[in-house]
Amino acid sequence: MRYFYSILSGALFGIGLTVSGMIDTTKVQGWLDVFGDWDPTLAFVMGGAIIPMSIAWMLTKKLGKPLAGGEFPEPTEPFVDRSLIIGSTMFGMGWALVGLCPGPSFASIAINGIGGLVFIAAMTGGMLLAPRLKNYLDAGTA
Amino acid sequence: MEQDWIWGLVGGVMIGTAGAVLLLANGRIMGASGIFGGLIDRSGWSTAKERIAFLIAVMVFPLAIYPLYGSVDTHLTDNYWIIIIAGLLVGLGTRTANGCTSGHGVCGISRFSFRGIMATVVYIVAGGFTISIARHVLGLI
C-alpha cells in the first residue's frame, strides 16, 4: 500500500502544481518580482496548501502512527544554522533566475523540452556537491 | 488573469492534500528536493522504490490534464547558461538547507516549524533580490 499512497500523493502534487499555474515560470518570477508586474498567485497556492497540511499535522497526534506503517517524523529543533540560511539563499537565487523549483521541474518535465532536462541535470549536479558544502558549514560553528 | 488566484487556491489545496496523504499514510514529509535528493546522494536508498513511485507520478499525471488547456506554455527561458547556473544553485541550496518550497514551505509552515518558516522567508527574500537585480538592474532575464 505504501506505493499506492506514494503514487496518489505524487499524482495530486503534479496535478496541483499544474492546475495552480506553478509550472509557469512567469507566475513564479512574477511573485518574486515586486518591482515589476507583481503576481500574487503563489500566495494563494501556498495558503491553499497549508490548510489541508496543517489539518494533517493535527491528525498525526490522534493517529499515533502512520496508516501504512512506520513512524511520524520527529519535530525539528527550533534552531537555525548556517546551512539553513546559506542553502536557502542559494536556492532562492536559483529559483528566481528561471522560475523553477524542484517540484515543478518534475511536474513540467514532459513539456519543458531540453531546457527542463538541463535544469534537472544541473540540479542533480548541485545535489551531489551539497554534502561537501553542508559538512564545511556545519563544521564551523555548531 | 483575474481567475488565476482561484486556480491557485484550488491547485494549492491539491498540493496540500498530496502532502497530507504522504504524511498520514506513509509518515513521510512531502519535500520534492528531499525525495529526489535522497536518491541522488544515496541517503534515501532504503526507501528508493517509494521515492521513485512518487516522482514518476509527479511527472506522468499532469499529462492527463494538459488536453483541458489546449496548449500549456511554461515560459522557460532558452538561455541554457542561466538554466545551468539556476539548476546548480537550486540543487546545492535545497540539499544544504534540507528543503525547498514543498518541504520547508508547505510542510514546514503547516507545523509551525521555526526552521521551515525561516527557510521560506530567506529563499523568498533572496529570490526577490535576485530577480530585481537580474531583471531590472542587469537586464539578464
Side-chain angles (χ1 to χ4, degrees):
Chain A
M1 281 306 273
R2 293 183 71 86
Y3 302 119
F4 169 76
Y5 292 123
S6 296
I7 291 167
L8 176 63
S9 174
L12 281 165
F13 187 50
I15 292 174
L17 286 168
T18 307
V19 168
S20 65
M22 290 299 101
I23 60 167
D24 185 346
T25 59
T26 53
K27 296 197 80 64
V28 173
Q29 290 184 319
W31 153 261
L32 293 170
D33 189 9
V34 286
F35 298 115
D37 189 9
W38 190 62
D39 185 333
T41 309
L42 191 143
F44 288 95
V45 180
M46 202 48 116
I50 284 170
I51 299 165
M53 198 62 217
S54 47
I55 295 170
W57 281 115
M58 285 188 271
L59 287 173
T60 59
K61 294 187 183 107
K62 294 203 170 185
L63 279 174
K65 286 194 184 278
L67 300 172
E71 301 284 339
F72 286 121
E74 296 285 322
T76 52
E77 294 292 320
F79 124 113
V80 168
D81 51 14
R82 293 200 297 183
S83 293
L84 189 85
I85 301 298
I86 293 171
S88 296
T89 302
M90 297 174 81
F91 165 47
M93 292 169 70
W95 186 40
L97 282 176
V98 292
L100 268 182
C101 52
S105 75
F106 289 109
S108 59
I109 191 170
I111 48 172
N112 268 344
I114 308 254
L117 297 176
V118 170
F119 179 85
I120 290 174
M123 178 170 78
T124 304
M127 286 178 167
L128 287 170
L129 294 171
R132 291 186 185 186
L133 176 64
K134 195 165 161 50
N135 284 341
Y136 171 76
L137 293 171
D138 290 348
T141 49
Chain B
M1 280 180 278
E2 287 146 21
Q3 289 173 340
D4 283 5
W5 69 269
I6 300 176
W7 287 113
L9 201 59
V10 170
V13 170
M14 294 178 78
I15 294 166
T17 307
V21 167
L22 207 63
L23 178 68
L24 296 175
N26 289 2
R28 300 284 174 199
I29 289 175
M30 189 194 68
S33 60
I35 291 170
F36 180 60
L39 291 171
I40 297 305
D41 66 15
R42 304 184 181 197
S43 62
W45 276 19
S46 61
T47 50
K49 286 181 194 166
E50 283 172 44
R51 292 164 187 265
I52 292 166
F54 176 86
L55 290 170
I56 289 175
V58 174
M59 293 188 274
V60 168
F61 278 87
L63 292 171
I65 61 164
Y66 289 151
L68 300 175
Y69 293 88
S71 67
V72 187
D73 190 349
T74 58
H75 302 102
L76 182 65
T77 176
D78 52 12
N79 184 329
Y80 287 167
W81 289 110
I82 290 183
I83 291 177
I84 290 169
I85 293 165
L88 280 169
L89 283 166
V90 168
L92 191 53
T94 53
R95 290 302 277 166
T96 302
N98 263 328
C100 59
T101 342
S102 46
H104 277 317
V106 174
C107 297
I109 292 174
S110 302
R111 82 195 296 203
F112 307 107
S113 155
F114 183 59
R115 286 174 57 85
I117 293 166
M118 284 304 292
T120 304
V121 169
V122 170
Y123 64 68
I124 286 177
V125 170
F129 272 107
T130 302
I131 202 155
S132 300
I133 292 166
R135 177 171 287 170
H136 301 297
V137 179
L138 301 174
L140 281 174
I141 52 176

